[in-house]
Amino acid sequence: MRFMTMIRIDENAGPEGGPSPELMEEMGTLLEEMTKAGVLLDTAGLRPTAEGSRVHWSHGKESVTDGPFTETKEVIGGYALLQVRSKEEAVEWSRRFARIHGEDWELTLEVRQVEEPPGEGA
């Protein structure tokens, strides 16, 4: 079973200067553990919304809005794609990722199963 963990952040609420070297080291250790366990398929942080665009489709009409998206408090700041045996296992790996951020961060991790093509997956 594959699960996508979307890491939601408030771009304006993180610690000054971004992640600390200690956090980056702990994150590297956890990601290495996840890779060795065979559960981490892909992961990345995302560039700020100021560098992004949104394509909106509504009733046959398209619009494109360039960032930053000031009307949005939380944005997806990164993701992890996991291959695990259960939703509970995906949630536990996501909890471990959240905990290494300590008290300086406010994160919401949304864990959702990936819809497998017919005939694939468990």
Side-chain angles (χ1 to χ4, degrees):
M1 297 167 58
R2 293 183 305 159
F3 285 84
M4 172 75 69
T5 298
M6 292 165 280
I7 302 133
R8 296 182 180 276
I9 63 168
D10 179 341
E11 286 185 308
N12 301 313
E16 188 71 33
S20 69
E22 295 80 17
L23 172 58
M24 295 307 292
E25 184 177 329
E26 287 183 52
M27 193 178 308
T29 300
L30 178 61
L31 296 179
E32 183 177 333
E33 180 183 347
M34 294 171 76
T35 300
K36 287 180 179 177
V39 302
L40 185 62
L41 299 177
D42 190 27
T43 188
L46 300 176
R47 301 288 301 164
T49 61
E51 299 174 25
S53 296
R54 286 186 178 158
V55 177
H56 182 76
W57 182 262
S58 178
H59 305 286
K61 294 186 180 172
E62 173 185 281
S63 64
V64 178
T65 305
D66 290 330
F69 311 120
T70 56
E71 73 282 359
T72 304
K73 183 176 191 270
E74 284 189 335
V75 298
I76 298 173
Y79 71 92
L81 183 60
L82 309 177
Q83 177 83 41
V84 294
R85 292 179 296 276
S86 67
K87 177 182 174 186
E88 293 75 21
E89 185 179 358
V91 168
E92 183 54 33
W93 283 112
S94 298
R95 291 176 67 192
R96 289 184 60 192
F97 179 84
R99 284 193 300 258
I100 66 172
H101 285 78
E103 296 179 5
D104 293 335
W105 290 85
E106 184 171 336
L107 307 172
T108 300
L109 280 68
E110 184 175 335
V111 180
R112 298 186 45 200
Q113 187 171 358
V114 174
E115 186 73 40
E116 300 294 348
E120 294 184 25

